[in-house]
Amino acid sequence: MPKGCVDAVVTSPPYNLKKKWWDGGANGIHKELADKFADEWYDDELPEDEYQRQQCAMVAECRRICLGAICYNHKVRHAFKREGRTFHPIEWLGAADLWCEIVWDRGPGPAVNCRRPTMADERIFVFQRPTSWNDLGFTSIWRF
């Protein structure tokens, strides 16, 4: 498919959280839901390096077919139990054609992990310049 087949891409991939077999901890409800929907559960348990390669390949394909902006939504992941470190999506995506980074303020949520502040934001990385951009007064922080 030649470059320019689509004007924009908006995506929010699975986060590779490995929740299917998670022991629950303070969030035992996840284990209960996983057991209830075990046959319908999506594969979200890849080794970290494979997951990052998969995400890079997906964004590379978007770059190949997209004429304008690619909006890639992802959380910063604190994976201390699993990998012993924090993963920021820009680490594997690179910033070569990053047009802007938007902070999506998702608002308050339940405090399900009291060992650190509750995550109330995600990042929207906009790669490549949009084919058109109407200045509507947007800032780099979106609340909705």
Side-chain angles (χ1 to χ4, degrees):
M1 191 178 291
K3 179 134 174 116
C5 294
V6 297
D7 292 327
V9 172
V10 178
T11 183
S12 181
Y15 294 151
N16 202 40
L17 297 175
K18 300 185 178 188
K19 283 194 174 181
K20 183 174 180 180
W21 306 114
W22 183 44
D23 66 2
N27 293 330
I29 188 70
H30 289 296
K31 173 99 171 79
E32 291 172 25
L33 288 173
D35 291 343
K36 182 177 179 181
F37 298 106
D39 294 337
E40 301 171 21
W41 202 267
Y42 60 91
D43 185 14
D44 197 26
E45 300 187 39
L46 299 173
E48 187 62 31
D49 59 339
E50 184 179 337
Y51 173 73
Q52 291 180 14
R53 280 193 305 274
Q54 178 192 71
Q55 294 305 298
C56 288
M58 187 271 303
V59 172
E61 180 64 11
C62 291
R63 285 181 172 112
R64 189 179 73 75
I65 66 168
C66 186
L67 180 63
I70 300 163
C71 300
Y72 177 89
N73 165 237
H74 210 294
K75 293 179 180 183
V76 174
R77 296 181 302 128
H78 302 287
F80 293 108
K81 281 178 143 177
R82 180 180 54 187
E83 302 286 341
R85 59 172 293 225
T86 294
F87 294 96
H88 193 290
I90 207 68
E91 290 177 39
W92 66 80
L93 295 172
D97 59 350
L98 183 65
W99 187 67
C100 70
E101 179 179 341
I102 297 165
V103 176
W104 172 19
D105 176 358
R106 297 178 354 189
V112 296
N113 184 347
C114 297
R115 293 172 289 205
R116 70 175 65 95
T118 301
M119 297 285 292
D121 66 292
E122 293 188 27
R123 299 296 186 269
I124 301 171
F125 301 99
V126 182
F127 294 99
Q128 305 181 163
R129 186 174 179 85
T131 54
S132 64
W133 182 259
N134 295 324
D135 185 6
L136 300 175
F138 289 126
T139 69
S140 61
I141 300 175
W142 293 1
R143 292 177 180 94
F144 55 90

